[in-house]
Amino acid sequence: MKTILSIFYRMGLSLKETLYDFGILKLQTLPCKVISVGNLTVGGTGKTPVVEYVAKHLVKAKKVAILTRGYKRENKAELLDVKPESNPLECGDEAVLLARKTKVPVIAAVDRYKGGLYAMEKYDVQFCVLDDGFQRRLSLYRNLELLLIDASNPFGNGKLLPAGILREKIKNIVAADVIIITKVDDAKDMPKLLETIKEYNDFADIVESTYEPKELINVFDKNDILPFSEVPSKKIFALSGVGNPKYFKKVLSMLNPSGLGWLSYSDHYAYTEKDIEAINEKSASADIIITTEKDAVKLELLDKTKFTKKLYALNIELKILKGEKELEDKINIT
């Protein structure tokens, strides 16, 4: 059944491309520079830290806004101006996280063109960074296309949704100006991945990266920072609702805890007070609970007195191992 649905999905993609090719659907252009960060697959490639990296690099010299759709947000308004203090359930967890970490305007809008116009009018921005923008390259012009590929699972089984994890055909790698390979520390076959990339795109700069743990901050008390040096003496419990929980557990294992248990919910999971009982039960033998930054912005809405263990968020940053100068040069000349 999924294979049949994938055929219809492919037909839909082809029809959309044809409509743009013949000018029936129009490409829109914002009167500012646009940098897109996106991927070919669903879930867990690590877009948010890359969007953060690009925005922080640009804001040193330019006025910048981030355009996102605010995935799974409860507030379905056409446009939301997301603040660090905004409710992540209403605006989207990633949107609020980006607002907190970058300190630049974050606009959640299904129509990124309208979101960009709003950002320009209200904040006089010179650059817009598109979060998850690769699938919208036909509808909105961009000056620089950054495509992320997860080295731990680049293309899944090679099939389109829903039979596989591909959101579009692998050959569309050709549309990227820079290809950022993430999680190279968990690569299954790096030479083969590089060969596949070169087969479809031999002109894009290739950047190799991973994610580096920065600090552990108490979800309910930001002044309580747990040194990494104390982790080896503790049994930790990993709590997450992200696209790639296995990689989160891998990063935690690098901290060498004395024990590691885990509980994984679906990506962008909206925690409720009812979940606390299950979390407490499953983490009973642990010393502390560690969650992701994306989960933390939602967990902090819950009653902290109901948790039986201290709850920490692992803050991570993009770490570029190869190609950082090429990436920065491309961003700078955009």
Side-chain angles (χ1 to χ4, degrees), residues 103-174:
K103 305 297 191 295
V104 305
V106 175
I107 312 302
V110 175
D111 188 329
R112 309 295 177 87
Y113 178 74
K114 290 182 179 178
L117 291 178
Y118 172 86
M120 292 188 67
E121 181 179 351
K122 183 166 184 179
Y123 297 106
D124 192 30
V125 300
Q126 300 158 292
F127 276 81
C128 283
V129 181
L130 295 186
D131 173 33
D132 196 19
F134 194 69
Q135 280 66 45
R136 289 157 185 80
R137 65 189 179 280
L138 298 176
S139 60
L140 182 63
Y141 177 80
R142 62 281 319 276
N143 302 87
L144 184 64
E145 189 78 69
L146 308 182
L147 176 66
L148 275 58
I149 297 178
D150 180 352
S152 68
N153 189 20
F155 314 114
N157 59 7
K159 295 181 180 180
L160 290 167
L161 291 168
I165 62 172
L166 286 172
R167 301 166 74 181
E168 56 183 282
K169 305 162 203 172
I170 296 176
K171 70 176 185 179
N172 288 340
I173 289 174
V174 70

Side-chain angles (χ1 to χ4, degrees), residues 93-112:
D93 47 20
E94 290 171 344
V96 172
L97 181 60
L98 284 168
R100 292 183 182 183
K101 298 198 74 174
T102 65
K103 305 297 191 295
V104 305
V106 175
I107 312 302
V110 175
D111 188 329
R112 309 295 177 87

Side-chain angles (χ1 to χ4, degrees), residues 213 216 228 231-232 236 250-258 290 314:
L216 287 165
F228 288 143
V231 175
I236 65 176
K250 175 184 172 65
V251 172
L252 288 180
S253 67
M254 293 164 55
L255 302 178
N256 298 313
S258 63
I290 299 180
L314 178 65

Side-chain angles (χ1 to χ4, degrees), residues 10 40 134 147 149 155 158 166 168-176 179 192-204 206:
R10 179 185 292 271
L40 286 173
F134 194 69
L147 176 66
I149 297 178
F155 314 114
L166 286 172
E168 56 183 282
K169 305 162 203 172
I170 296 176
K171 70 176 185 179
N172 288 340
I173 289 174
V174 70
I179 295 170
K192 183 179 179 181
L193 174 56
L194 291 171
E195 182 181 336
T196 301
I197 290 171
K198 289 292 186 181
E199 178 184 349
Y200 295 106
N201 187 330
D202 62 358
F203 59 84
I206 296 178

Side-chain angles (χ1 to χ4, degrees), residues 35 41 43 61 84 88 104 115 147 182-183 191 205 239 260 264 266 275 296 313 321 325:
I35 296 178
T41 59
V104 305
L147 176 66
T182 63
K183 305 172 189 171
D205 289 314
L239 173 65
L260 176 60
S264 299
S266 58
D275 295 312
L321 305 175
K325 183 180 184 302

Side-chain angles (χ1 to χ4, degrees), residues 4 16 40 81 115 121 192 194 200 225 232 257 276 316:
I4 295 173
K16 181 180 178 181
L40 286 173
D81 195 333
E121 181 179 351
K192 183 179 179 181
L194 291 171
Y200 295 106
I225 299 176
I276 298 178
I316 62 169

